Amino acid sequence: MSSRERILGRVRRALADVPADEVPYERAVAREYAREHGRRSVAETVDLLAENLADYRAIVHRCADGELPGLLARLLAAHGSRNVVVPPGLPPGWLEGAGAEIVHDRAADTPQELDRVDSVVTGCAVAVAETGTIVLDGSPDQGRRRITLVPDHHICVVRVPDQVVGAVPQALGRLDPARPLTWISGPSATSDIELDRVEGVHGPRTLEVVLAGGGQDGRTAS
Amino acid sequence: MSGTYLGMPAFPEAARKAVGDSTLRGNLRHATHTIRDKRARAVAELDDWAALREAGKQIKDHTLRHLDRYLVQVEEAVTAAGGTVHWAADADEANEIVARLVEEAGGGDSAEHEVVKVKSMATQEIALNEALEARGVHAYETDLAELIVQLGRDRPSHILVPAIHRNRGEIRDIFRSEMSEWGRPAPENLTDTPAELAEAARLHLREKFLRARVGISGANFVVAETGTLVVVESEGNGRMCLTLPETLISVVGIEKIVPRWQDLEVFLQTLPRSSTAERMNPYTSMWTGTTDEDGPRTFHLVLLDNGRTDTLADEVGRQALRCIRCSACLNVCPVYERAGGHAYGSVYPGPIGAILSPQLRGTGSDVDASLPYASSLCGACYEVCPVAIDIPEVLVHLRERVVQGGPAVRHGNRVVLRPAKGHAAERAAMRAAQWAFTHPGVLRTGQRLASRTRRLHPRTLPGPGRAWSGSRDLPPVPAEPFRDWWQRTHGGKDGSE
């Protein structure tokens, strides 16, 4: 007997007490929890995202669409980045005027080569206000998972308010499980020393999130 | 379960040693109290916590009650997404499968026989690292706390933070003396500030991540309908192991399944708040099979039984399989806080360990038979559990099994357990009590005798009762039995009292 058959047989014998007509999944789970906690306007949801990102030590910036290239150039310069890796579908123009050398991500590059790159700039798939989370799904403006992992400095652009949702249930509804997903809430951190949170272990130690769109200073009209 | 813990002393002996270690008690007290208050605040932010907890319980219960169906669904979905599914009935089989896969991925070149590991309870449970070492494969733990344990040739003492028993000074000393043995040495002049210690770990492990060809992980969740695996972490070591190597092997207990994608909306809210007291942990990775040019080209899922189906066969005890390994129950437990994790003799310490280990491994060894007693039954663990496991209920159920024996399932076979040896006096006392309570005349005579001789009663029990009264006061016997007082005074109504 294969282990597969052995395990499935053990499971079936263990569940002999379960009636054949037990309530189906649809009625077994009472989803009485909230889709979102509290009522917020669109602008308040974006504000909450900014607040919670900052609470977990992401550096948050806001700008209007037209100001994005200038802001990205300034952020890369301020970080002292000599080079920056970009995913294949980063909107052309975002890094116009950036002083750093642009490195295009190629499948053939080794992790060691990526380790010599200072920064990475990407878009995102969705952002979650209540938890201060950005989610990447490997779309062309986000690229392969490794490019947002090995460089020490990640700048992620969130298009507001379109890409922002209030809570986790809404984010899952927008995502495609078939794609590789990375949920990011602040820079790399650990609680392993005396259960106290310290930022900065293996992932990017600096996470900058740019909330782009809306009015002149990036504020969204209520 | 793991051979590492064979011959462990029973909980009381191990705990007695631990409570005498003032450094250990100080470290545990500091860490558990820090996280306790933070968890309470993180949970209080969600006004629907009770509904989330109930939904989490219902999802897990439903899955467990139809586990055969969902296991087959996982197999189909993972295979369809480009992964390969393996089934392991016990630890030896799982270790054998993983070792063979590592050797195949390494191409037979012994220099390539090293793997990087994401923290995983399942691989701790089956002692995978030791099994791989015996085959000449070096397994590097990459979670900071696991690294501290591995470098210190130590054992884990907490589910979430295996090195919780170490303070920052001890960690610095371990890094200084041991890192050079395993790879890049600790920086000169390393101090004990947590940020510097984290930096030292970053530098030490980076070369290993960048050259690794095989990664090994567990998973927090497996979604049956999509075949998606989920790993929740903080440091980014998980992302490194899950995306940089060419081959990824995930060893996952069969109880980790949730039916649908939507179910993650419950656990992604309850798990981070319960474990690290965060709104969300820094990194969560989700992957479904393999993706072209992104991440590992080969993905293996090893589904692990190793006592889980035996646990599932127990209608009271199976709720332990709902556990999502958050460790909130450890952090609130007064017994864990004082005894520490090592006393539990298992990779699963604390209240959840006290009900999980004796079910996964059976109650045959001294330590496993003693674990259901490693509790004051205060119920704090039940209160904080995000999937509402009634740990006190299962503890009492397992105590009954230890003392009285009875039917159980071991390795898939129905067995009748014999009553444990050490509990003869307890059984005799209970039989005597049963006889007395069913014979009112005997009870009355006995109570009167006890009252009249009360000045002669010793303060501690003799013989086998000595252990019980070693840490407890005997209750004083009243001058007059209650029933006599009631009959004499009609419950105090005749005014004579």
Side-chain angles (χ1 to χ4, degrees), chain A residues 3-4 17 22 25-26 30-31 33-34 37 55 115 144 177 183 185 188 192 197 201-202 205, chain B residues 48 58 65 75 93 145 168 199 202 206 234-235 260-261 263 265 278-279 282 284 286 288 293 318:
Chain A
S3 292
R4 180 184 188 276
D17 62 303
E22 206 178 45
Y25 172 88
E26 286 74 14
R31 296 189 191 276
Y33 51 87
H37 297 89
D55 193 32
D115 196 32
R144 298 188 297 156
W183 298 52
S185 309
S188 157
D192 280 356
R197 186 177 156 118
V201 201
H202 305 294
R205 286 179 289 188
Chain B
D48 61 342
Q58 290 169 340
R65 292 173 76 83
E75 181 183 48
E93 192 176 6
R168 55 187 75 188
E199 164 83 12
R202 176 186 172 95
R206 184 143 286 231
S234 296
E235 297 167 15
R260 300 197 185 173
W261 177 247
D263 297 328
E265 70 188 20
E278 293 166 306
R279 290 185 198 101
T284 298
M286 303 180 179
T288 305
E293 299 198 339
R318 68 166 63 131

Side-chain angles (χ1 to χ4, degrees), chain B residues 191-210:
Chain B
T191 74
D192 66 358
T193 53
E196 272 192 48
L197 296 171
E199 164 83 12
R202 176 186 172 95
L203 295 169
H204 177 76
L205 286 173
R206 184 143 286 231
E207 59 180 18
K208 295 187 168 62
F209 288 133
L210 298 183

Side-chain angles (χ1 to χ4, degrees), chain B residues 51-118:
Chain B
L52 284 165
R53 182 176 187 246
E54 185 62 19
K57 169 182 189 260
Q58 290 169 340
I59 291 167
K60 283 282 186 174
D61 272 349
H62 168 82
T63 316
L64 290 170
R65 292 173 76 83
H66 303 276
L67 191 58
D68 51 338
R69 181 150 62 81
Y70 287 119
L71 279 165
V72 172
Q73 199 183 0
V74 163
E75 181 183 48
E76 286 167 3
V78 169
T79 308
T84 308
V85 177
H86 310 261
W87 301 70
D90 56 27
D92 288 344
E93 192 176 6
N95 289 334
E96 176 59 33
I97 292 169
V98 175
R100 181 170 50 77
L101 293 173
V102 171
E103 282 161 5
E104 283 169 14
D109 177 355
S110 68
E112 303 285 358
H113 283 176
E114 63 174 40
V115 300
V116 286
K117 281 189 68 201
V118 193

Side-chain angles (χ1 to χ4, degrees), chain B residues 24-341:
Chain B
L24 175 71
R25 285 189 63 169
N27 293 353
L28 283 170
R29 188 182 153 76
H30 172 68
T32 55
H33 284 248
T34 304
I35 196 73
R36 223 179 262 186
D37 301 342
K38 281 202 255 181
R39 188 209 75 96
R41 282 198 297 277
V43 166
E45 277 188 10
L46 301 185
D47 53 15
D48 61 342
W49 186 259
L52 284 165
R53 182 176 187 246
E54 185 62 19
K57 169 182 189 260
Q58 290 169 340
I59 291 167
K60 283 282 186 174
D61 272 349
H62 168 82
T63 316
L64 290 170
R65 292 173 76 83
H66 303 276
L67 191 58
D68 51 338
R69 181 150 62 81
Y70 287 119
L71 279 165
V72 172
Q73 199 183 0
V74 163
E75 181 183 48
E76 286 167 3
V78 169
T79 308
T84 308
V85 177
H86 310 261
W87 301 70
D90 56 27
D92 288 344
E93 192 176 6
N95 289 334
E96 176 59 33
I97 292 169
V98 175
R100 181 170 50 77
L101 293 173
V102 171
E103 282 161 5
E104 283 169 14
D109 177 355
S110 68
E112 303 285 358
H113 283 176
E114 63 174 40
V115 300
V116 286
K117 281 189 68 201
V118 193
K119 178 174 164 9
S120 137
M121 294 309 299
T123 60
Q124 284 272 7
E125 175 191 319
I126 62 176
L128 177 66
N129 293 5
E130 291 79 0
L132 288 177
E133 199 65 49
R135 303 267 291 247
V137 177
H138 300 297
Y140 296 113
E141 292 292 350
T142 65
D143 168 78
L144 178 53
E146 292 281 8
L147 176 71
I148 296 164
V149 168
Q150 188 172 45
L151 293 176
R153 294 175 183 81
D154 202 351
R155 285 186 295 116
S157 69
H158 190 277
I159 289 175
L160 176 71
V161 190
I164 196 172
H165 55 291
R166 299 289 196 184
N167 61 37
R168 55 187 75 188
E170 295 173 282
I171 295 168
R172 178 204 51 202
D173 295 344
I174 292 169
F175 279 12
R176 272 188 182 162
S177 63
E178 303 299 328
M179 269 186 172
S180 56
E181 289 266 320
W182 296 74
R184 182 171 172 155
E188 298 274 323
N189 311 318
L190 179 67
T191 74
D192 66 358
T193 53
E196 272 192 48
L197 296 171
E199 164 83 12
R202 176 186 172 95
L203 295 169
H204 177 76
L205 286 173
R206 184 143 286 231
E207 59 180 18
K208 295 187 168 62
F209 288 133
L210 298 183
R211 70 166 185 243
R213 292 177 60 173
V214 181
I216 295 180
S217 82
N220 295 92
F221 308 100
V222 181
V223 181
E225 69 171 346
T226 59
T228 307
L229 274 79
V230 181
V231 163
V232 171
E233 54 133 352
S234 296
E235 297 167 15
N237 64 305
R239 293 179 66 194
M240 292 276 181
C241 297
L242 298 170
T243 53
L244 294 184
E246 291 160 17
T247 300
L248 172 62
I249 305 166
S250 300
V251 182
V252 181
I254 55 174
E255 82 284 20
K256 294 284 154 195
I257 299 175
V258 297
R260 300 197 185 173
W261 177 247
Q262 193 194 354
D263 297 328
L264 294 176
E265 70 188 20
V266 175
F267 301 109
L268 289 182
Q269 295 193 77
T270 52
L271 177 55
R273 289 176 198 262
S274 297
S275 61
T276 49
E278 293 166 306
R279 290 185 198 101
M280 190 62 89
N281 50 292
Y283 299 130
T284 298
S285 296
M286 303 180 179
W287 72 97
T288 305
T290 53
T291 306
D292 284 344
E293 299 198 339
D294 186 356
R297 284 183 297 201
T298 311
F299 169 55
H300 296 278
L301 170 62
V302 181
L303 293 169
L304 177 72
D305 178 351
N306 204 34
R308 283 159 179 77
T309 51
D310 293 345
T311 310
L312 189 66
D314 186 318
E315 290 178 36
V316 177
R318 68 166 63 131
Q319 59 182 306
L321 297 176
R322 291 205 295 260
C323 176
I324 55 173
R325 312 282 189 263
C326 72
S327 70
C329 63
L330 279 64
N331 299 333
V332 296
C333 178
V335 176
Y336 176 85
E337 182 189 331
R338 287 160 182 83

Side-chain angles (χ1 to χ4, degrees), chain B residues 352-364:
Chain B
I352 186 63
I355 63 170
L356 208 46
S357 308
Q359 295 200 88
L360 294 175
R361 304 193 291 206
T363 47

